[in-house]
């Protein structure tokens, strides 16, 4: 069956409204989680990369995606597949995503090459670089806890997650 | 190079899928039971930041176990919930060290858990887990390869965490160091089957599912020796085979007790989804 491009566009558009329940300001697209969308007939297939393997929000995200996509005129059924190739990394977060994270009070992750524990972020409130990491582990798997010494606010940052590409080739 | 794309392809070769399933049970059960032991620390960790960190690590580890159980489900071994909750002790393939209680008492009644033991057990386990994940990122089974790459991204942070605790407590000297050295001896006595791939280890390597047991063990011992030298710790004695081997389904009754606790709710309503 021929793929329907205009429906596909509509699916992408609908996905703009689906967010991670733990970060409601940023869509799954801007988090870099959506890898592929295809439409055959009246069925849409959405391939999604989980951010963290044990993320408890995954099933909720699946439900939200189905609800949003099945609400499109012309789509009866939406299937969500969690795939692991390519692996999700925090470098996949879009510019819009980074801006929205900041507006939400979460510092966007620094861009990383491979694995590193040496990273810092600027304060999302006052922009100061005078921040300290309080705990690399935060309230959710994908977040860390920081403190801004300048404006004296505690804040969260999205943890940078990378990988060494050469080992998977 | 062997390359097996998915469960369907794996199941075409009985020898391959048998060995693959065996490896997956070891990987899943190891992460599962140690994640359970970690979860028992919730609210009891030395300070509040550690409570946040440890529960996050534990949640991730449970996620890793989930991923391996998912691969088993695809291979026709049963549903993830059944695999995690429904299997008896002798069916479990986790290393014996990982099932041991955190200390005396229980979560509900006078939990006198041993933090030094927990730090050493997690650190040594994670050091070896990293070696395994590096190897698994080249596994002949594609879904396992992908799982390993994804798990490794997170495990990196766990390893750094336990390494920090390990080094700081040793370098603190005094009672901390004394207790850490006692914990190292304790953990080391039980470490044999953590480094074992069980009776089918050789076939696992032949099918290029994972490196040879001996090679990975050598890497692990070399890493520890270097670390012990740096921290000026007495070198470790040779590893002795333990009486029970978890890879053969041999376990302590501490596993039975853990399973009774963690499956209590599941047994009341096995049909509910989690």
């Amino acid at each position: 069956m021929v793929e329907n491009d205009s429906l596909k566009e509509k699916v992408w558009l609908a996905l703009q409204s689906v967010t991670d329940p733990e970060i409601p300001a940023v869509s799954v697209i801007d988090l870099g989680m959506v890898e592929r969308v295809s439409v055959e007939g009246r069925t849409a297939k959405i391939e999604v990369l989980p951010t963290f393997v044990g993320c408890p929000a995954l099933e909720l995200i699946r439900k939200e995606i189905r609800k949003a996509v099945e609400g499109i005129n012309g789509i009866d059924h939406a299937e969500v597949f969690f795939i692991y190739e390519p692996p999700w990394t925090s470098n996949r977060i879009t510019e819009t995503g980074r801006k929205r994270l900041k507006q939400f009070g979460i510092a966007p992750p620094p861009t990383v090459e491979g694995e590193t524990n040496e990273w810092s972020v600027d304060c999302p409130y006052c922009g100061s670089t005078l921040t300290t990491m309080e705990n690399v582990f935060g309230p959710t798997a994908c977040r860390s806890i920081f403190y801004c010494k300048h404006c004296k606010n505690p804040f969260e940052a999205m943890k940078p997650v990378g990988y060494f590409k050469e080992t998977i080739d | 190079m062997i390359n097996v794309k998915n469960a369907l392809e794996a199941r075409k070769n009985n020898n391959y899928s048998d060995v693959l399933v065996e490896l997956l049970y070891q990987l899943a059960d190891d992460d599962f039971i140690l994640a359970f032991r970690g979860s028992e620390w919730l609210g009891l960790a030395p300070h509040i930041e550690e409570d946040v960190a440890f529960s996050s690590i534990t949640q991730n580890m449970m996620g890793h176990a989930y991923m391996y159980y998912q691969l088993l489900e695809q291979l026709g071994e049963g549903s993830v919930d059944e695999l995690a909750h429904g299997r008896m002790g002798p069916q479990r393939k986790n290393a014996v060290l990982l099932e041991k209680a955190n200390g005396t008492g229980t979560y509900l009644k006078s939990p006198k858990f041993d933090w030094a033991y927990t730090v050493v057990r997690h650190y040594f386990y994670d050091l070896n887990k990293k070696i395994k994940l590096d190897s698994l990122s080249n596994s002949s089974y594609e879904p396992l390869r992908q799982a390993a790459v994804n798990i490794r991204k997170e495990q990196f942070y766990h390893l750094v965490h336990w390494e920090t605790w390990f080094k700081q407590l040793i370098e603190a000297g005094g009672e901390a160091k004394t207790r850490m050295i006692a914990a190292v001896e304790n953990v080391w006595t039980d470490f044999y089957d953590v480094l074992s791939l069980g009776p089918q280890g050789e076939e696992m390597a032949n099918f290029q599912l994972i490196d040879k047991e001996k090679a990975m063990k050598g890497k692990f011992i070399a890493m520890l020796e270097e670390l012990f030298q740096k921290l000026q710790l007495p070198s470790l004695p040779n590893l002795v085979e333990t009486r029970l081997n978890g890879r053969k389904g041999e376990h302590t009754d501490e596993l039975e007790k853990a399973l009774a606790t963690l499956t209590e709710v599941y047994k009341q309503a096995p049909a509910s989804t989690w």
Side-chain angles (χ1 to χ4, degrees), chain B residues 100-117:
Chain B
K100 294 258 170 113
N102 291 314
T104 61
T106 68
Y107 182 76
L108 293 171
K109 209 174 169 195
S110 42
K112 289 202 175 108
F113 291 176
D114 184 344
W115 185 246
Y117 182 69

Side-chain angles (χ1 to χ4, degrees), chain A residues 68-90:
Chain A
V69 175
E70 285 172 358
I72 298 169
N73 195 359
I75 304 264
D76 295 334
H77 187 63
E79 284 178 87
V80 179
F81 294 91
F82 290 114
I83 58 165
Y84 295 91
E85 173 59 36
W88 181 86
T89 73
S90 51

Side-chain angles (χ1 to χ4, degrees), chain B residues 4-35:
Chain B
V4 176
K5 274 199 154 52
N6 50 41
L8 208 67
E9 214 176 279
R11 289 171 81 174
K12 282 184 192 151
N13 180 339
N14 282 341
N15 292 338
Y16 183 88
S17 62
D18 283 354
V19 175
L20 168 63
V21 160
E22 186 61 30
L23 174 62
L24 288 172
Y25 273 122
Q26 291 179 14
L27 296 168
D29 291 344
D30 272 3
D31 274 343
F32 180 77
I33 199 68
L34 194 57

Side-chain angles (χ1 to χ4, degrees), chain A residues 35-56:
Chain A
E35 175 66 7
R36 248 184 311 272
V37 166
S38 55
V39 178
E40 263 189 49
R42 301 176 72 86
T43 299
K45 181 177 159 191
I46 302 109
E47 290 172 271
V48 178
L49 313 178
T51 53
F52 274 68
V53 171
C55 178

